[in-house]
Amino acid sequence: MIAHRVNTPLYIVHVMSKGAARAIGNARRLGWRVYGEPTAAGLGTDGNAMWSKDWAFAAAHVMGPPLRPDPSTKDHLMAMLASGELQATGTDNCTFCTKQKAMGKDNFAKIPNGVNGIEDRMSIVWTNGAKKGILTPSQFVAVTSTNAAKIFNMFPRKGCIRPGADADIVVWDGNAKRTISAKTHHHAVDVNIFEGMEVYGVATHTISRGVVVWENGQLKTTQGAGKFVPRPTFGNIFDGLDESDAARDPLLRKVDRPDRKSVV
């Protein structure tokens, strides 16, 4: 509401509930420039683990906003990605080991907030989206790459494969399966909120700036090989704001009136 009043686009992260997603969808149907991003955690699991009698297992799932206990929430959020009411997916990857989570063993409020997600995001979205027929493969690419590149003004350098774009490509095997586990993931942490989940979709190769840096489970890059890419400000999502500012609210227009002394 505030963003619409001052006529600026708004990007909302951590869309974790049906209510939050519906609010964004309702605003977009009114023509408001709002964009929503659910997380891999919200698309892949639910908050029922926090009722576990195993305190460490429950604490491993503590994040903010919290995972909702309704198991149908993840399907609802995925459907809204398919409809275009939500636009992109993220993770807010913020991992804590069991020992760190235990800082809140005597006070719930002191449990460090955060869960994993970045390593498993693509597989979670593919498995619960494309494999279930909720997302098409093209929509999968859009919500994991293209839409974010457009919203954050990096398209067409990022978010597509075409002449002139960066040579950053993932070769994706949508039929390959793997089982997620803290024993095999690459996070330096002893828990994974998707533990034991069998997922489809594996990146067999990753190419960065034309160089193969990941191939069949082997990392082939070196520290310092990355390159900072600046993001230009005021991209296409800001187009037309000057015109809408001028036309949207007659109460903000100046009215020239004659001197009050001349009024009879």
Side-chain angles (χ1 to χ4, degrees), residues 118-135:
I118 193 169
E119 182 172 350
D120 302 311
R121 175 181 68 108
M122 300 285 280
S123 296
I124 292 294
V125 177
W126 181 263
T127 301
N128 288 347
K131 268 295 183 179
K132 290 184 177 180
I134 300 173
L135 299 177

Side-chain angles (χ1 to χ4, degrees), residues 9-258:
L10 177 65
Y11 190 88
I12 298 178
V13 299
H14 296 189
V15 181
M16 302 294 289
S17 68
K18 293 179 180 179
R22 282 195 294 265
I24 293 170
N26 291 339
R28 288 180 62 82
R29 281 188 288 274
L30 293 173
W32 297 8
R33 300 192 191 195
V34 57
Y35 307 89
E37 178 197 276
T39 68
L43 294 167
T45 187
D46 57 62
N48 280 297
M50 287 183 285
W51 275 265
S52 171
K53 293 182 179 180
D54 183 337
W55 187 93
F57 180 77
H61 292 75
V62 171
M63 64 173 296
L67 288 160
R68 298 311 196 262
D70 181 355
S72 69
T73 298
K74 56 181 177 291
D75 295 325
H76 185 87
L77 296 176
M78 192 69 74
M80 292 191 72
L81 283 167
S83 70
E85 294 174 284
L86 299 176
Q87 291 70 46
T89 58
T91 63
D92 187 39
N93 189 88
C94 185
T95 56
F96 296 94
C97 66
T98 300
K99 183 178 180 180
Q100 290 170 318
K101 288 281 188 176
M103 289 190 292
K105 62 182 179 62
D106 298 318
N107 183 343
F108 175 87
K110 293 184 179 180
I111 298 175
N113 268 254
V115 299
N116 63 282
I118 193 169
E119 182 172 350
D120 302 311
R121 175 181 68 108
M122 300 285 280
S123 296
I124 292 294
V125 177
W126 181 263
T127 301
N128 288 347
K131 268 295 183 179
K132 290 184 177 180
I134 300 173
L135 299 177
T136 67
S138 293
Q139 287 176 315
F140 166 77
V141 173
V143 302
T144 58
S145 177
T146 306
N147 290 350
K150 290 180 176 179
I151 292 169
F152 293 108
N153 200 22
M154 300 185 78
F155 187 88
R157 179 174 181 178
K158 302 287 187 182
C160 67
I161 301 174
R162 57 179 282 183
D166 286 352
D168 297 339
I169 300 170
V170 171
V171 180
W172 188 253
D173 185 347
N175 292 318
K177 291 193 296 185
R178 66 185 179 93
T179 300
I180 299 174
S181 175
K183 296 178 180 178
T184 55
H185 68 198
H186 295 82
H187 297 286
V189 67
D190 59 350
V191 291
N192 190 308
I193 62 169
F194 309 117
E195 183 70 39
M197 187 181 299
E198 186 176 73
V199 293
Y200 287 87
V202 171
T204 63
H205 298 74
T206 301
I207 303 169
S208 176
R209 288 155 50 200
V211 177
V212 176
V213 296
W214 175 265
E215 184 174 17
N216 296 322
Q218 297 297 315
L219 186 64
K220 297 184 175 183
T221 189
T222 57
Q223 186 175 1
K227 181 181 179 182
F228 175 73
V229 178
R231 181 170 62 88
T233 55
F234 300 107
N236 291 338
I237 64 170
F238 289 86
D239 289 351
L241 289 182
D242 290 340
E243 290 78 4
S244 59
D245 266 339
R248 65 185 301 192
D249 195 343
L251 296 178
L252 298 179
R253 299 177 187 173
K254 179 183 178 182
V255 177
D256 291 317
R257 294 188 175 94

